[in-house]
Short mmCIF file of all heavy atoms in Angstrom, two decimals:
data_model
loop_
_atom_site.label_atom_id
_atom_site.label_comp_id
_atom_site.label_asym_id
_atom_site.label_seq_id
_atom_site.Cartn_x
_atom_site.Cartn_y
_atom_site.Cartn_z
N ASP A 1338 -4.27 -9.48 1.04
CA ASP A 1338 -3.24 -10.52 1.04
C ASP A 1338 -2.32 -10.43 2.26
O ASP A 1338 -1.72 -11.43 2.66
CB ASP A 1338 -2.39 -10.41 -0.22
CG ASP A 1338 -3.20 -10.60 -1.49
OD1 ASP A 1338 -4.05 -11.51 -1.51
OD2 ASP A 1338 -2.98 -9.85 -2.46
N GLY A 1339 -2.18 -9.23 2.80
CA GLY A 1339 -1.28 -9.05 3.93
C GLY A 1339 -1.29 -7.62 4.40
O GLY A 1339 -1.96 -6.76 3.80
N ILE A 1340 -0.55 -7.35 5.45
CA ILE A 1340 -0.44 -6.01 6.01
C ILE A 1340 1.02 -5.60 5.95
O ILE A 1340 1.91 -6.37 6.33
CB ILE A 1340 -0.95 -5.96 7.46
CG1 ILE A 1340 -2.45 -6.31 7.49
CG2 ILE A 1340 -0.72 -4.58 8.08
CD1 ILE A 1340 -3.04 -6.35 8.89
N GLU A 1341 1.26 -4.42 5.46
CA GLU A 1341 2.65 -3.93 5.34
C GLU A 1341 3.28 -3.77 6.70
O GLU A 1341 2.66 -3.31 7.65
CB GLU A 1341 2.68 -2.59 4.61
CG GLU A 1341 4.08 -2.09 4.34
CD GLU A 1341 4.10 -0.75 3.63
OE1 GLU A 1341 3.77 0.26 4.27
OE2 GLU A 1341 4.42 -0.71 2.43
N ASP A 1342 4.53 -4.19 6.82
CA ASP A 1342 5.30 -4.00 8.04
C ASP A 1342 5.30 -2.52 8.40
O ASP A 1342 5.54 -1.67 7.54
CB ASP A 1342 6.73 -4.48 7.80
CG ASP A 1342 7.57 -4.51 9.07
OD1 ASP A 1342 7.47 -3.57 9.86
OD2 ASP A 1342 8.34 -5.46 9.24
N PRO A 1343 5.03 -2.17 9.67
CA PRO A 1343 5.03 -0.76 10.07
C PRO A 1343 6.33 -0.04 9.74
O PRO A 1343 6.36 1.18 9.62
CB PRO A 1343 4.81 -0.82 11.59
CG PRO A 1343 4.09 -2.11 11.80
CD PRO A 1343 4.62 -3.05 10.78
N ALA A 1344 7.42 -0.81 9.58
CA ALA A 1344 8.70 -0.20 9.25
C ALA A 1344 8.85 0.02 7.75
O ALA A 1344 9.86 0.55 7.29
CB ALA A 1344 9.85 -1.07 9.75
N GLY A 1345 7.85 -0.40 6.97
CA GLY A 1345 7.91 -0.26 5.53
C GLY A 1345 7.66 1.17 5.09
O GLY A 1345 7.35 2.06 5.88
N GLY A 1346 7.83 1.40 3.80
CA GLY A 1346 7.60 2.74 3.26
C GLY A 1346 8.90 3.49 3.09
O GLY A 1346 9.99 2.95 3.23
N ALA A 1347 8.78 4.76 2.78
CA ALA A 1347 9.95 5.57 2.45
C ALA A 1347 10.72 5.97 3.71
O ALA A 1347 10.19 6.05 4.81
CB ALA A 1347 9.50 6.83 1.70
N TYR A 1348 12.03 6.21 3.49
CA TYR A 1348 12.93 6.64 4.56
C TYR A 1348 13.72 7.85 4.11
O TYR A 1348 14.04 8.02 2.94
CB TYR A 1348 13.90 5.52 4.94
CG TYR A 1348 13.29 4.39 5.72
CD1 TYR A 1348 12.62 3.36 5.07
CD2 TYR A 1348 13.36 4.36 7.11
CE1 TYR A 1348 12.04 2.33 5.79
CE2 TYR A 1348 12.78 3.35 7.83
CZ TYR A 1348 12.13 2.32 7.17
OH TYR A 1348 11.57 1.30 7.88
N LYS A 1349 14.08 8.68 5.11
CA LYS A 1349 15.04 9.73 4.87
C LYS A 1349 16.45 9.15 5.00
O LYS A 1349 16.64 8.07 5.55
CB LYS A 1349 14.89 10.86 5.89
CG LYS A 1349 13.66 11.71 5.74
CD LYS A 1349 13.68 12.82 6.77
CE LYS A 1349 12.46 13.72 6.65
NZ LYS A 1349 12.46 14.79 7.67
N GLU A 1350 17.43 9.87 4.47
CA GLU A 1350 18.80 9.45 4.69
C GLU A 1350 19.05 9.44 6.20
O GLU A 1350 18.66 10.36 6.92
CB GLU A 1350 19.78 10.42 4.03
CG GLU A 1350 19.75 10.33 2.50
CD GLU A 1350 20.80 11.22 1.86
OE1 GLU A 1350 21.72 11.63 2.58
OE2 GLU A 1350 20.70 11.46 0.66
N GLY A 1351 19.69 8.39 6.68
CA GLY A 1351 19.91 8.26 8.10
C GLY A 1351 18.94 7.30 8.74
O GLY A 1351 19.05 6.98 9.92
N GLY A 1352 17.93 6.83 7.96
CA GLY A 1352 17.06 5.78 8.47
C GLY A 1352 15.76 6.22 9.09
O GLY A 1352 14.97 5.39 9.53
N GLU A 1353 15.46 7.53 9.13
CA GLU A 1353 14.22 7.99 9.72
C GLU A 1353 13.05 7.70 8.78
O GLU A 1353 13.08 8.06 7.61
CB GLU A 1353 14.29 9.50 9.99
CG GLU A 1353 13.00 10.07 10.57
CD GLU A 1353 12.99 11.59 10.61
OE1 GLU A 1353 14.03 12.19 10.32
OE2 GLU A 1353 11.93 12.16 10.94
N THR A 1354 12.02 7.03 9.31
CA THR A 1354 10.85 6.76 8.47
C THR A 1354 10.01 8.03 8.30
O THR A 1354 9.94 8.86 9.20
CB THR A 1354 9.97 5.65 9.08
OG1 THR A 1354 8.88 5.38 8.20
CG2 THR A 1354 9.43 6.06 10.45
N VAL A 1355 9.42 8.18 7.12
CA VAL A 1355 8.58 9.35 6.87
C VAL A 1355 7.12 8.96 6.79
O VAL A 1355 6.26 9.80 6.57
CB VAL A 1355 9.02 10.05 5.56
CG1 VAL A 1355 10.44 10.55 5.66
CG2 VAL A 1355 8.84 9.15 4.34
N LYS A 1356 6.84 7.68 6.97
CA LYS A 1356 5.48 7.16 6.82
C LYS A 1356 4.89 6.85 8.19
O LYS A 1356 5.42 6.04 8.93
CB LYS A 1356 5.49 5.90 5.96
CG LYS A 1356 4.11 5.37 5.60
CD LYS A 1356 4.25 4.22 4.60
CE LYS A 1356 2.90 3.76 4.07
NZ LYS A 1356 3.04 2.68 3.06
N ARG A 1357 3.78 7.52 8.52
CA ARG A 1357 3.06 7.22 9.75
C ARG A 1357 1.59 7.02 9.37
O ARG A 1357 0.82 7.97 9.28
CB ARG A 1357 3.22 8.33 10.78
CG ARG A 1357 2.56 7.98 12.13
CD ARG A 1357 2.99 8.89 13.25
NE ARG A 1357 2.54 10.24 13.06
CZ ARG A 1357 3.31 11.32 13.14
NH1 ARG A 1357 4.59 11.18 13.41
NH2 ARG A 1357 2.82 12.53 12.97
N VAL A 1358 1.24 5.78 9.12
CA VAL A 1358 -0.10 5.40 8.66
C VAL A 1358 -0.60 4.30 9.55
O VAL A 1358 0.13 3.36 9.86
CB VAL A 1358 -0.06 4.93 7.18
CG1 VAL A 1358 -1.46 4.61 6.69
CG2 VAL A 1358 0.58 5.99 6.29
N SER A 1359 -1.86 4.39 9.99
CA SER A 1359 -2.40 3.42 10.94
C SER A 1359 -2.29 1.99 10.44
O SER A 1359 -1.87 1.08 11.16
CB SER A 1359 -3.86 3.74 11.27
OG SER A 1359 -3.93 4.91 12.05
N ASP A 1360 -2.68 1.75 9.19
CA ASP A 1360 -2.47 0.43 8.62
C ASP A 1360 -2.43 0.52 7.10
O ASP A 1360 -3.02 1.41 6.49
CB ASP A 1360 -3.51 -0.59 9.08
CG ASP A 1360 -4.91 -0.27 8.62
OD1 ASP A 1360 -5.22 -0.50 7.44
OD2 ASP A 1360 -5.72 0.19 9.45
N VAL A 1361 -1.69 -0.40 6.51
CA VAL A 1361 -1.54 -0.49 5.07
C VAL A 1361 -1.83 -1.92 4.67
O VAL A 1361 -1.08 -2.84 4.99
CB VAL A 1361 -0.12 -0.10 4.61
CG1 VAL A 1361 0.00 -0.19 3.09
CG2 VAL A 1361 0.24 1.30 5.10
N LYS A 1362 -2.94 -2.12 3.98
CA LYS A 1362 -3.32 -3.45 3.54
C LYS A 1362 -2.92 -3.66 2.08
O LYS A 1362 -3.07 -2.75 1.25
CB LYS A 1362 -4.83 -3.67 3.73
CG LYS A 1362 -5.23 -3.72 5.21
CD LYS A 1362 -6.70 -4.05 5.37
CE LYS A 1362 -7.04 -4.36 6.83
NZ LYS A 1362 -6.88 -3.19 7.70
N LEU A 1363 -2.41 -4.85 1.78
CA LEU A 1363 -1.93 -5.18 0.45
C LEU A 1363 -2.92 -6.11 -0.23
O LEU A 1363 -3.43 -7.06 0.38
CB LEU A 1363 -0.58 -5.89 0.53
CG LEU A 1363 0.50 -5.18 1.36
CD1 LEU A 1363 1.74 -6.06 1.47
CD2 LEU A 1363 0.85 -3.83 0.76
N ILE A 1364 -3.20 -5.84 -1.49
CA ILE A 1364 -4.09 -6.71 -2.26
C ILE A 1364 -3.61 -6.77 -3.71
O ILE A 1364 -3.17 -5.75 -4.25
CB ILE A 1364 -5.56 -6.24 -2.18
CG1 ILE A 1364 -6.50 -7.27 -2.80
CG2 ILE A 1364 -5.74 -4.86 -2.80
CD1 ILE A 1364 -7.97 -7.05 -2.48
N SER A 1365 -3.67 -7.94 -4.32
CA SER A 1365 -3.24 -8.08 -5.70
C SER A 1365 -4.27 -7.49 -6.65
O SER A 1365 -5.49 -7.53 -6.39
CB SER A 1365 -2.99 -9.56 -6.03
OG SER A 1365 -4.20 -10.29 -5.97
N TYR A 1366 -3.77 -6.98 -7.75
CA TYR A 1366 -4.67 -6.40 -8.76
C TYR A 1366 -5.65 -7.44 -9.28
O TYR A 1366 -6.82 -7.12 -9.54
CB TYR A 1366 -3.86 -5.79 -9.91
CG TYR A 1366 -4.73 -5.24 -11.01
CD1 TYR A 1366 -5.65 -4.23 -10.75
CD2 TYR A 1366 -4.68 -5.77 -12.29
CE1 TYR A 1366 -6.46 -3.72 -11.75
CE2 TYR A 1366 -5.49 -5.27 -13.29
CZ TYR A 1366 -6.38 -4.25 -13.03
OH TYR A 1366 -7.19 -3.76 -14.02
N GLY A 1367 -5.20 -8.68 -9.42
CA GLY A 1367 -6.09 -9.72 -9.92
C GLY A 1367 -7.33 -9.91 -9.09
O GLY A 1367 -8.40 -10.25 -9.63
N LYS A 1368 -7.22 -9.70 -7.79
CA LYS A 1368 -8.37 -9.87 -6.91
C LYS A 1368 -9.39 -8.73 -7.05
O LYS A 1368 -10.59 -8.96 -6.96
CB LYS A 1368 -7.90 -9.93 -5.45
CG LYS A 1368 -7.37 -11.27 -4.99
CD LYS A 1368 -7.11 -11.22 -3.49
CE LYS A 1368 -6.64 -12.57 -2.95
NZ LYS A 1368 -6.38 -12.53 -1.50
N ILE A 1369 -8.89 -7.53 -7.24
CA ILE A 1369 -9.76 -6.36 -7.13
C ILE A 1369 -10.04 -5.70 -8.48
O ILE A 1369 -10.79 -4.71 -8.54
CB ILE A 1369 -9.14 -5.33 -6.15
CG1 ILE A 1369 -10.22 -4.34 -5.67
CG2 ILE A 1369 -7.94 -4.62 -6.77
CD1 ILE A 1369 -9.77 -3.44 -4.55
N LYS A 1370 -9.52 -6.24 -9.56
CA LYS A 1370 -9.67 -5.54 -10.83
C LYS A 1370 -11.12 -5.43 -11.30
O LYS A 1370 -11.45 -4.53 -12.07
CB LYS A 1370 -8.81 -6.21 -11.91
CG LYS A 1370 -9.19 -7.59 -12.31
CD LYS A 1370 -8.21 -8.11 -13.37
CE LYS A 1370 -8.52 -9.53 -13.80
NZ LYS A 1370 -7.53 -10.01 -14.82
N HIS A 1371 -11.99 -6.31 -10.82
CA HIS A 1371 -13.40 -6.21 -11.22
C HIS A 1371 -14.04 -4.91 -10.71
O HIS A 1371 -15.09 -4.49 -11.22
CB HIS A 1371 -14.20 -7.41 -10.70
CG HIS A 1371 -14.27 -7.52 -9.21
ND1 HIS A 1371 -13.20 -7.88 -8.43
CD2 HIS A 1371 -15.31 -7.32 -8.36
CE1 HIS A 1371 -13.56 -7.89 -7.17
NE2 HIS A 1371 -14.85 -7.55 -7.09
N LEU A 1372 -13.42 -4.28 -9.71
CA LEU A 1372 -13.93 -3.03 -9.17
C LEU A 1372 -13.22 -1.79 -9.70
O LEU A 1372 -13.78 -0.69 -9.65
CB LEU A 1372 -13.85 -3.04 -7.64
CG LEU A 1372 -14.75 -4.06 -6.92
CD1 LEU A 1372 -14.42 -4.07 -5.43
CD2 LEU A 1372 -16.21 -3.72 -7.13
N ILE A 1373 -11.97 -1.93 -10.17
CA ILE A 1373 -11.18 -0.74 -10.52
C ILE A 1373 -10.58 -0.78 -11.92
O ILE A 1373 -9.82 0.13 -12.27
CB ILE A 1373 -10.05 -0.52 -9.49
CG1 ILE A 1373 -9.09 -1.70 -9.48
CG2 ILE A 1373 -10.62 -0.26 -8.09
CD1 ILE A 1373 -7.83 -1.45 -8.66
N SER A 1374 -10.89 -1.80 -12.71
CA SER A 1374 -10.21 -1.94 -14.01
C SER A 1374 -10.48 -0.76 -14.95
O SER A 1374 -9.64 -0.43 -15.81
CB SER A 1374 -10.62 -3.25 -14.69
OG SER A 1374 -12.02 -3.27 -14.94
N HIS A 1375 -11.64 -0.12 -14.80
CA HIS A 1375 -11.97 1.04 -15.64
C HIS A 1375 -10.92 2.14 -15.43
O HIS A 1375 -10.34 2.66 -16.40
CB HIS A 1375 -13.35 1.53 -15.28
CG HIS A 1375 -13.96 2.43 -16.32
ND1 HIS A 1375 -15.07 3.19 -16.07
CD2 HIS A 1375 -13.62 2.71 -17.59
CE1 HIS A 1375 -15.40 3.89 -17.14
NE2 HIS A 1375 -14.52 3.61 -18.09
N LEU A 1376 -10.64 2.48 -14.19
CA LEU A 1376 -9.65 3.51 -13.88
C LEU A 1376 -8.26 3.06 -14.29
O LEU A 1376 -7.48 3.83 -14.88
CB LEU A 1376 -9.66 3.85 -12.39
CG LEU A 1376 -8.57 4.79 -11.88
CD1 LEU A 1376 -8.67 6.14 -12.58
CD2 LEU A 1376 -8.64 4.94 -10.38
N ILE A 1377 -7.90 1.81 -13.98
CA ILE A 1377 -6.56 1.32 -14.28
C ILE A 1377 -6.33 1.32 -15.79
O ILE A 1377 -5.23 1.64 -16.28
CB ILE A 1377 -6.35 -0.10 -13.72
CG1 ILE A 1377 -6.56 -0.08 -12.19
CG2 ILE A 1377 -4.96 -0.62 -14.06
CD1 ILE A 1377 -5.70 0.92 -11.45
N GLY A 1378 -7.35 0.99 -16.57
CA GLY A 1378 -7.22 1.03 -18.02
C GLY A 1378 -6.89 2.42 -18.52
O GLY A 1378 -6.00 2.61 -19.36
#
């Protein structure tokens, strides 16, 4: 559905980001539940 803003994720007090990940892709559960519903259940 989208890509998380590189500035997203957790922060330390003072504004320092603690997340350094090449990319974070977002997808709704409704789209992918046919592949993972067993685990989610």
Side-chain angles (χ1 to χ4, degrees):
D1338 299 317
I1340 297 177
E1341 185 181 72
D1342 187 319
Y1348 285 84
K1349 289 183 179 179
E1350 290 185 16
E1353 178 190 353
T1354 183
V1355 299
K1356 187 173 187 177
R1357 185 166 66 230
V1358 183
S1359 289
D1360 65 76
V1361 180
K1362 292 185 170 66
L1363 309 174
I1364 188 166
S1365 65
Y1366 176 61
K1368 280 187 177 180
I1369 198 171
K1370 66 181 179 181
H1371 64 288
L1372 293 173
I1373 62 170
S1374 62
H1375 197 193
L1376 173 61
I1377 301 305

